[in-house]
Every structure is written in C-alpha cells, then in structure tokens.
Amino acid sequence: MIYLKTDDEVELLREANILVGKTLGEMAKLIRPGVTTQELDKVAEEFIRDHGATPTFLGFPNPYGGPFPASICTSVNDQVVHGIPNDTPLQEGDIVSIDCGTCLNGYCGDSCYTFPVGEVSEEVIKLMRTTKEALYKGIEQAVVGHRIGDISYAVQQHCVSNGYGVVREFVGHGIGKQMHEEPQVPNYGRRGNGILMKDGLCIAIEPMITMGKDKIYLAEDRWTVHTQDHLPAAHYEHTICVRKGHADILSSFEFIEEVLREKSI
Ligand code: MG
Ligand code: MG
C-alpha cells in the first residue's frame, strides 16, 4: 500500500527530516581522529530527544538477530550500512557513514552522509563525491510522471560509469508514519520500469556504493554489512517528496556542509 502525503503531512515529514539534518550537523562538529562512534551515538541520541523526538533506529527489529542497539548507524570504511557504534577510535583517513532516523510528532526522518575523518585519499574523496552526485541524479528523476526505475537507472548509471559497485541487497523506500513504507527504491534498474510516481509520494533515496565489487556480507553481529573485498563504501540519503517539475528535498545536508566548510578553512 502506497500512501501519498497531504501537504500538512509533508511539512511534518520536513520537520522530522530537518532534525535529522541538524543531528548530522552535530556529528560533523565532532568527527575527527580519536573520537569513537559510541561517543557520536550518545550525542546524537541526546540531541534527538532534547528536540522532542525519538531515534527510530534504537530497538529497530532485525529478522536475523536482536534489535538495533543504538540511535545512529555508523559504518566505517568497508562497512556499507548498519554499522553499530563502538569504542574504536576513528582514525585519520577513515570514512564514516552516519545514518540517522528520527520520529517527531508521529512522522519519520531518515538521512545519511559519509564523512571524511581528517585527510582522506583522493580516490576515497572521488567515491564519496560520485555517490553524492548519484543521489542528486536520482532526485532529479523523482518527479510526477516518472517511474521509480528512472531514479534507479540514474543512480546506477552514474556509479557504474565511474567504475563503482552498486549494492543491490539494500534499497531506498517510502517513508511517512513508518520509516519503511512502500515502494522500494532500488539503486539499480531500468528506465521506465516500476510504479508511476504521483504528487505527494515521499521516499528515501539512498545509494550505497562500493569502490570495488558490489558483493557484501553480514557480520557476526547480524547487523553490520561489509564489502566482501573490504574496499570502502559510501552512502548518502535524502528523504524527498515527489512534485511536478522537481522534487522537494525534505532532509538537509546544509547543517553538515556548513560545519565541513568551516573545518576546511
Ligand atoms: Mg537511513
Ligand atoms: Mg533509509
């Protein structure tokens, strides 16, 4: 069942997603060599709760094991998604994807950003840049009258043409009162395939892109997804609303990128 959102619901989704963006902005301030992902998780949880929301990931059920034990997913280097925060300090040259979800006034926010830790190699910067570009190429296709496959194709095409792998086992999704609603939004597919997008369809688009092969495996913790070849992966995600002409991006990277710009000066 696909729920198209009313304008009022879209504004509620925007509020939840702006809070995710602000939380990720707080993460940007703290990310540096030596900080642990557990420390980031603690700050994220407090920030979300201080703003009257709950972290949707905490306690999220897992068909393969126990519920998710933290408020953010922190996936470092060869970890693709669903990394569990731990007490290992981040190191110069690492990358960390922080995926964050909130529930505010009954509506969900969901967004992810891959951060560099200190100075990162040129080839890793290119992986991050290309994955983020792919996200925006997908968003360009998320307009009334296009099909989900148009998003999928745009993401896949951009990443594959740069020699990267596209993870297939995890996909974007509809979002609303539930974090995961229909339809699925794969990062691979054919133009003109899939459901026709209508005004008010709210979806999370989230390319998960690997520097090497697209093959992955699930770690013993039953959450963390790694690349099989242990090359790095990047993950960027926006929640958007399909509109005529161009999508309305409900989440925001502005809070993050403002901090990153200040850091690089
Ligand atoms: Mg997410
Ligand atoms: Mg998502």
Side-chain angles (χ1 to χ4, degrees):
M1 181 77 189
I2 291 171
Y3 301 99
L4 300 175
K5 273 67 182 182
T6 65
D7 290 352
D8 287 347
E9 287 182 300
V10 171
E11 292 317 307
L12 289 163
L13 278 168
R14 192 189 314 278
E15 285 172 21
N17 276 286
I18 290 295
L19 178 56
V20 173
K22 287 180 177 170
T23 309
L24 291 174
E26 294 303 302
M27 302 294 98
K29 291 178 192 169
L30 297 171
I31 290 171
R32 55 175 168 72
V35 77
T36 70
T37 47
Q38 242 162 24
E39 290 169 324
L40 298 175
D41 179 56
K42 189 167 178 290
V43 172
E45 178 171 4
E46 278 177 16
F47 190 83
I48 291 167
R49 293 195 192 280
D50 284 351
H51 288 80
T54 51
T56 13
F57 296 177
L58 186 62
F60 200 79
N62 181 354
Y64 310 106
F68 195 74
S71 296
I72 50 172
C73 298
T74 53
S75 307
V76 180
N77 297 335
D78 74 325
Q79 301 177 347
V80 183
V81 286
H82 305 162
I84 298 174
N86 61 28
D87 58 5
T88 306
L90 293 173
Q91 292 182 27
E92 180 89 23
D94 284 347
I95 55 172
V96 57
S97 299
I98 301 198
D99 198 346
C100 180
T102 62
C103 183
L104 179 63
N105 300 317
Y107 286 82
C108 290
D110 189 8
S111 179
C112 180
Y113 198 92
T114 302
F115 296 86
V117 181
E119 291 284 318
V120 168
S121 75
E122 272 305 316
E123 61 171 353
V124 171
I125 288 171
K126 187 184 168 222
L127 171 69
M128 293 193 293
R129 187 178 62 232
T130 305
T131 306
K132 191 161 65 154
E133 287 166 357
L135 168 60
Y136 286 103
K137 287 188 181 287
I139 292 171
E140 271 174 33
Q141 298 298 319
V143 294
V144 173
H146 283 201
R147 291 180 182 273
I148 292 288
D150 298 327
I151 299 173
S152 308
Y153 176 82
V155 170
Q156 180 182 24
Q157 177 58 29
H158 188 63
C159 297
V160 169
S161 68
N162 277 280
Y164 296 136
V166 175
V167 172
R168 291 170 174 253
E169 289 83 350
F170 298 91
V171 296
H173 48 89
I175 183 166
K177 288 181 179 170
Q178 302 295 324
M179 182 165 64
H180 294 144
E181 296 186 356
E182 286 184 52
Q184 292 198 343
V185 185
N187 295 306
Y188 60 92
R190 300 221 312 265
R191 267 186 289 199
N193 268 21
I195 64 145
L196 192 62
M197 289 183 277
K198 294 182 181 163
D199 192 67
L201 174 68
C202 292
I203 52 175
I205 302 175
E206 48 179 317
M208 291 153 253
I209 305 302
T210 62
M211 187 180 276
K213 298 220 161 51
D214 60 11
K215 294 285 168 284
I216 56 164
Y217 72 94
L218 187 63
E220 277 176 14
D221 65 20
R222 312 311 281 163
W223 276 107
T224 314
V225 174
H226 293 257
T227 57
Q228 264 181 25
D229 57 16
H230 294 293
L231 289 174
H235 180 201
Y236 291 83
E237 174 180 28
H238 268 315
T239 292
I240 65 105
C241 179
V242 171
R243 295 298 194 196
K244 225 184 242 175
H246 63 87
D248 185 0
I249 302 177
L250 305 178
S251 47
S252 174
F253 292 159
E254 276 172 35
F255 306 99
I256 300 167
E257 292 181 346
E258 197 184 311
V259 174
L260 296 183
R261 272 193 301 274
E262 280 171 16
K263 273 185 167 179
S264 67
I265 294 168

